[in-house]
Amino acid sequence: MRTVNSPFDKIEKLRDSVIQHGPSSDRIYLMKAAKSDGAVLPQALLKIAKQMGYSKIFAKIPENLTDSFESAGYREEATIPGYFNGKASCHMVSCFLNPERALETRESVVRDVLHTALNIPVLKGEPDPLPANHTLRLMTHDDTPQMATVYRQVFASYPFPIHDPAYLKDTMDSHIRYFGVLEDEELIALASCEMDLESAAVEMTDFAT
């Protein structure tokens, strides 16, 4: 039986590693694999997933842990070359406790997205300037009420409380930089940079227009 009651995911320590989990995404995400945890992580994650009733485990791991995860039934879904400090690759692996979770139910959407992405011209030189009444800038605490409004309009649900200005302020002060486009004084688009300072890596996420 699942025991998580909050609609939002939790970020917490698993030994020396960091995981995110909750009912919204129905999965565990291994965000940071500590070297000290090594080969015990695959089974430790499986134990928690079974206890909580989650249907999937998703892990972001260095190459030296791939054999341990694959032996435990995880499969690789993607690789990011040079993710760790511009040198070592990052491997994205998954384990599906519910086989139906591994099935793609929107194949036509995936094909359309891939077709669009593969046919976008590679940007050379500077991007086109924004229209005269548009501004791109770093968001501050004063912008968080408008940011929360945009996120409420775009995301009906989300694993974290990005609809709450207080949450946005807290993440600004820790590890996330938000950038927005304003039309005159109205915020119309957002994206964020979630920083992994130890790995010298950034995930671009939370795109909303």
Side-chain angles (χ1 to χ4, degrees):
M1 292 291 291
R2 184 173 292 132
T3 57
V4 175
N5 296 316
S6 170
F8 301 118
D9 284 7
K10 295 180 179 179
I11 295 179
E12 55 191 14
K13 296 291 286 291
L14 172 62
R15 300 170 65 95
D16 292 323
S17 300
V18 179
I19 62 172
Q20 170 196 333
H21 66 99
S24 179
S25 300
D26 186 24
R27 57 102 175 94
I28 299 174
Y29 169 28
L30 174 63
M31 303 174 69
K32 186 179 290 291
K35 293 180 180 179
S36 56
D37 294 336
V40 305
L41 281 172
Q43 294 299 333
L45 292 167
L46 281 166
K47 181 179 179 180
I48 296 173
K50 291 174 181 177
Q51 289 175 341
M52 304 301 290
Y54 295 136
S55 64
K56 180 180 179 179
I57 302 168
F58 175 67
K60 185 170 66 178
I61 60 173
E63 187 170 4
N64 66 301
L65 292 182
T66 55
D67 287 346
S68 297
F69 275 82
E70 288 176 2
S71 297
Y74 294 71
R75 70 189 196 195
E76 184 166 287
E77 294 197 271
T79 303
I80 306 174
Y83 177 88
F84 296 106
N85 301 106
K87 299 175 182 178
S89 296
C90 175
H91 295 258
M92 307 292 198
V93 298
S94 294
C95 181
F96 299 94
L97 288 85
N98 180 350
E100 292 184 2
R101 183 71 186 265
L103 302 177
E104 178 53 65
T105 59
R106 299 180 299 168
E107 291 185 5
S108 62
V109 174
V110 173
R111 283 196 299 269
D112 289 345
V113 170
L114 287 172
H115 180 268
T116 300
L118 292 171
N119 285 279
I120 294 176
V122 176
L123 178 65
K124 296 181 179 179
E126 293 295 319
D128 293 336
L130 291 170
N133 61 330
H134 291 66
T135 305
L136 170 65
R137 65 170 173 81
L138 180 69
M139 298 285 97
T140 68
H141 281 197
D142 291 339
D143 298 307
T144 53
Q146 277 203 84
M147 293 169 62
T149 297
V150 171
Y151 282 139
R152 278 195 296 270
Q153 292 173 343
V154 174
F155 297 116
S157 64
Y158 204 82
F160 294 107
I162 59 173
H163 306 153
D164 180 0
Y167 172 81
L168 296 172
K169 289 178 182 178
D170 288 343
T171 55
M172 277 183 188
D173 292 339
S174 58
H175 66 294
I176 299 180
R177 299 292 179 266
Y178 296 91
F179 292 86
V181 174
L182 293 94
E183 182 177 23
D184 296 322
E185 297 300 318
E186 181 183 2
L187 183 65
I188 60 171
L190 280 168
S192 69
C193 299
E194 187 169 341
M195 300 180 294
D196 181 347
L197 299 178
E198 183 180 344
S199 300
V202 170
E203 177 185 356
M204 294 294 297
T205 185
D206 299 333
F207 289 89
T209 301

